[in-house]
Amino acid sequence: MSSPSDPLGPSWTTRAERPEDTAAVRRITLAAFETPDEADLVDALREDPGAWLPHLSHLALSGEEAVGTALLTRCRIGDSPALALAPCAVLPEHQGRGAGSAAIRSALDAARAAGERAVVVLGHPAYYPRFGFSPCSGFGIVPPHGQEWPDDAFLALSLDGGELPRGTVHYAPAFGL
């Protein structure tokens, strides 16, 4: 699957992660964050059959090199199945050039095609609205017990245009929430 990024910048090829991409995903995630926590999270999610959805881990490629990744894993909103978008990572030398957006759009498109309905993300308030995310509070979606997250950073997206489920978000155990 190919997905263009910013029309003024580079175009990225995107695709679902393959088994042989595990090391590249770890390398990208380690390079993008200050600590190994997010890379370790991906590894833990990969080991959780209740959370890991291999067709929803997507890469942005420059030629044959994976340079960005976006991961959607199973969570629940109340009693309804949903997806959590996290982590997303791009090699530092490719950040700000659309690779992350391309990987995210690719993963969201794959989730829509698979019949998924809802995605939540805790992330930068200025970044995720470009994909259609809005504050969870407007939908009656609340963070896990004991978490107080900024309203403008805890966001949700309806993938099918329908009403989002209401309730508390329950993440996979690997998130530690």
Side-chain angles (χ1 to χ4, degrees), residues 98 110 113 129 135 141-142:
I141 300 170
V142 297

Side-chain angles (χ1 to χ4, degrees), residues 49-65:
W52 186 251
L53 304 166
H55 63 290
L56 296 181
S57 176
H58 278 243
L59 302 174
L61 300 118
S62 176
E64 295 298 313
E65 179 191 12

Side-chain angles (χ1 to χ4, degrees), residues 31-53:
F33 293 96
E34 293 179 13
T35 71
D37 293 348
E38 285 81 4
D40 293 344
L41 172 62
V42 174
D43 291 344
L45 288 166
R46 194 177 268 118
E47 297 300 317
D48 180 349
W52 186 251
L53 304 166

Side-chain angles (χ1 to χ4, degrees), residues 18 23 27 39 49 51 54 70 73 84 91 93-94 99 115-116 123 128 136-137 165 174:
R18 299 174 184 150
R27 177 180 56 84
T73 55
L91 290 174
E93 61 269 25
H94 292 285
E116 298 287 346
Y128 290 98
C136 285
S137 62

Side-chain angles (χ1 to χ4, degrees), residues 65-93:
E65 179 191 12
V67 301
T69 179
L71 179 60
L72 292 166
T73 55
R74 179 65 63 214
C75 71
R76 299 192 74 71
I77 300 173
D79 292 329
S80 300
L83 300 171
L85 174 58
C88 301
V90 176
L91 290 174
E93 61 269 25

Side-chain angles (χ1 to χ4, degrees), residues 83-154:
L83 300 171
L85 174 58
C88 301
V90 176
L91 290 174
E93 61 269 25
H94 292 285
Q95 290 176 2
R97 299 176 56 217
S101 292
I104 291 168
R105 283 190 182 96
S106 180
L108 293 173
D109 288 346
R112 277 187 196 93
E116 298 287 346
R117 296 188 51 239
V119 181
V120 293
V121 65
L122 177 63
H124 296 287
Y127 184 73
Y128 290 98
R130 72 182 71 183
F131 305 103
F133 285 90
S134 301
C136 285
S137 62
F139 304 107
I141 300 170
V142 297
H145 180 71
Q147 302 298 313
E148 292 191 25
W149 295 334
D151 189 53
D152 62 347
F154 184 44

